[in-house]
Amino acid sequence: MAFEVKQVLRMKEGTDETSYVKTSYIQKQVLLLTKSIKEKAIKEFYSKEQPTTLCIADLGCSSAELNTLGVVSELIETIEDARRELGKGSQEYQVYLNDLPGNDFNSIFRSLASFEDSLKMQIGRNIFGHCFVNGVPGSFYGRLFPTNHLHFVHSSYSLMWLSQVPAGIEDNKENIYIASTSPPNVTEAYYDQFEKDFSMFLRCRSEEVVPGGIMVLTMLGRTTIEKYSKESSYEWELLATVLNDMVLEGFIEEEKLHTFNIPQYTPSAEEIGFIIERERSFILNQVDVSEISWEANEHYYKNDLPTTAFTHYDFVKCMRSVVEPLLVNHFGEAIIEELFKRYMEIVQAAMATEKNVFINVTVSLTRKG
């Protein structure tokens, strides 16, 4: 695939109905699922260390300000509760929001004034300290911050994205990810790339996080030992089916499809734990495996509406906001509407006959002293 992932990978920008801002309901539900883990970890750290300025980084923040700033707000509220319990004075915060350079940071920056006003109203204008927020464009597979600088690092639904499409998978033809028909070398190449990337992530953060500092990381994963599993690959297999049909009908060149692969890997909890243990910079405190339905948005609709008519539509919009920039870069914009019209139909059929879920793996880590 002839592109650099860091130059192309981004969530779909803007505020229309297929933008990431409007469609990231699954990501929002995952943040709710992991809320207690994040709050427990940061409260324990603050109660023990009580830094003058608490430095928080959200890595892979994307452009959905309600998700990103919502997480930061919850963390600050947790610290403020602990501060009051300890009888401490006003707390100062330094917040870093990181993503790749193509991210729509402006969507977040436009919300900062209302974000700070909301915090002051909840906590009290006279007792809330300063909160400084900075955008940090760049890949988290390299250094981003000064040495021994960060106290708490959060990342959700970002670390399964690889720094590059794995090398040596030219024989993964007609597939766009690890599939049931992928040769063994393809699955191994995907794991090898993830192992390399996640090890580099840990190495870089070990330089930037203070001893005793905390990281809470959530990524799409799987529960199986086998590297292929339907729970981690099915959405991409359905998309590959659509792309293959469009090749047969002349919408897409066959060679274009054969050189397109998704730069993602969904690890098991065991694989994550193995890499953390081998890298040796962090202590693994907690591992949590959860699942979320493709229909996670169904509770947003009123009881008198036919929910099943909406869920596949929402899921496809969510997927589109994630993958459209990659598709446009490789295949061009002309096929996009036809592609997602067909994807809508095949996803609707799949969701009508079975329950499909995403698996989430969350780990809480402490930087060794």
Side-chain angles (χ1 to χ4, degrees):
M1 190 184 285
F3 65 78
E4 273 200 82
V5 169
K6 66 181 180 182
Q7 299 298 332
V8 177
L9 181 62
R10 65 181 186 279
M11 304 301 102
K12 190 179 179 187
E13 60 189 19
T15 56
D16 66 32
E17 67 169 14
T18 61
S19 66
Y20 186 78
V21 169
K22 293 291 181 66
T23 63
S24 53
Y25 70 91
I26 287 176
Q27 293 85 343
K28 185 175 183 179
Q29 292 302 303
V30 171
L31 292 173
L32 288 173
L33 279 175
T34 59
K35 185 172 184 282
S36 62
I37 298 172
K38 295 189 290 280
E39 292 180 352
K40 175 177 179 284
I42 199 168
K43 184 174 183 179
E44 287 178 356
F45 172 82
Y46 176 78
S47 298
K48 181 180 178 182
E49 302 294 338
Q50 300 174 33
T52 303
T53 302
L54 186 69
C55 295
I56 299 170
D58 187 20
L59 305 184
C61 66
S62 75
S63 56
E65 67 272 11
L66 290 178
N67 289 355
T68 297
L69 296 179
V71 168
V72 174
S73 180
E74 289 169 357
L75 292 173
I76 289 176
E77 287 170 29
T78 299
I79 294 300
E80 289 297 312
D81 288 342
R83 180 190 60 77
R84 282 189 289 269
E85 290 174 11
L86 293 165
K88 302 287 291 182
S90 297
Q91 177 65 43
E92 190 171 80
Y93 300 94
Q94 172 69 65
V95 176
Y96 297 105
L97 305 178
N98 155 260
D99 213 312
L100 293 171
N103 184 57
D104 185 11
F105 283 100
N106 285 335
S107 292
I108 301 172
F109 294 157
R110 281 191 290 267
S111 304
L112 287 180
S114 59
F115 160 74
E116 191 161 345
D117 284 344
S118 176
L119 278 176
K120 288 177 179 177
M121 285 183 63
Q122 292 177 45
I123 294 165
R125 290 186 179 274
N126 296 328
I127 59 173
F128 181 66
H130 295 291
C131 181
F132 305 100
V133 181
N134 295 91
V136 183
S139 170
F140 49 51
Y141 294 127
R143 285 290 300 270
L144 292 167
F145 306 101
T147 301
N148 288 341
H149 185 67
L150 301 175
H151 299 112
F152 187 87
V153 172
H154 172 257
S155 182
S156 184
Y157 266 37
S158 296
L159 279 162
M160 68 275 187
W161 291 106
L162 303 173
S163 66
Q164 64 178 58
V165 173
I169 60 169
E170 292 80 10
D171 53 347
N172 199 33
K173 295 177 179 178
E174 299 182 3
N175 300 314
I176 62 172
Y177 182 59
I178 297 171
S180 57
T181 57
S182 294
N185 66 288
V186 170
T187 58
E188 289 305 317
Y190 265 98
Y191 173 74
D192 289 346
Q193 187 62 51
F194 174 76
E195 184 180 35
K196 177 182 175 183
D197 285 342
F198 189 46
S199 296
M200 179 60 71
F201 173 87
L202 293 171
R203 201 169 304 128
C204 292
R205 302 297 83 76
S206 73
E207 298 288 332
E208 299 164 351
V209 175
V210 300
I214 302 293
M215 296 204 298
V216 176
L217 315 172
T218 298
M219 59 195 93
L220 271 174
R222 66 180 199 280
T223 58
T224 61
I225 296 173
E226 296 78 16
K227 291 179 174 58
Y228 166 76
S229 71
K230 189 173 180 180
E231 65 195 13
S232 63
S233 303
Y234 193 38
E235 71 275 20
W236 301 124
E237 289 185 292
L238 294 177
L239 186 58
T241 299
V242 172
L243 289 166
N244 277 285
D245 287 346
M246 293 179 74
V247 167
L248 292 174
E249 295 175 34
F251 286 93
I252 297 171
E253 295 175 21
E254 185 176 50
E255 183 59 26
K256 278 282 188 182
L257 175 56
H258 290 174
T259 55
F260 181 74
N261 287 282
I262 298 295
Q264 186 183 92
Y265 182 76
T266 46
S268 66
E270 290 77 14
E271 288 171 342
I272 295 170
F274 170 76
I275 296 169
I276 291 168
E277 184 176 351
R278 197 184 65 175
E279 200 278 330
R280 302 175 70 178
S281 296
F282 291 88
I283 298 167
L284 180 57
N285 302 317
Q286 183 178 354
V287 180
D288 181 76
V289 178
S290 59
E291 69 176 45
I292 190 163
S293 170
W294 285 12
E295 302 177 4
N297 207 28
E298 61 188 2
H299 73 281
Y300 285 111
Y301 299 107
K302 296 178 181 177
N303 293 331
D304 57 347
L305 290 175
T307 305
T308 53
F310 289 94
T311 51
H312 71 277
Y313 180 68
D314 282 344
F315 176 80
V316 171
K317 284 199 300 180
C318 185
M319 286 294 295
R320 180 172 178 171
S321 73
V322 171
V323 77
E324 182 174 331
L326 290 174
L327 291 167
V328 168
N329 179 76
H330 192 78
F331 297 105
E333 205 156 350
I335 68 159
I336 295 300
E337 293 304 324
E338 178 66 22
L339 189 158
F340 281 103
K341 175 188 170 188
R342 294 175 182 227
Y343 192 53
M344 183 84 70
E345 293 169 356
I346 198 170
V347 167
Q348 183 177 16
M351 292 177 72
T353 57
E354 58 188 333
K355 180 186 177 184
N356 299 287
V357 298
F358 287 127
I359 301 298
N360 316 300
V361 181
T362 301
V363 291
S364 177
L365 312 175
T366 299
R367 171 74 169 90
K368 291 182 180 178

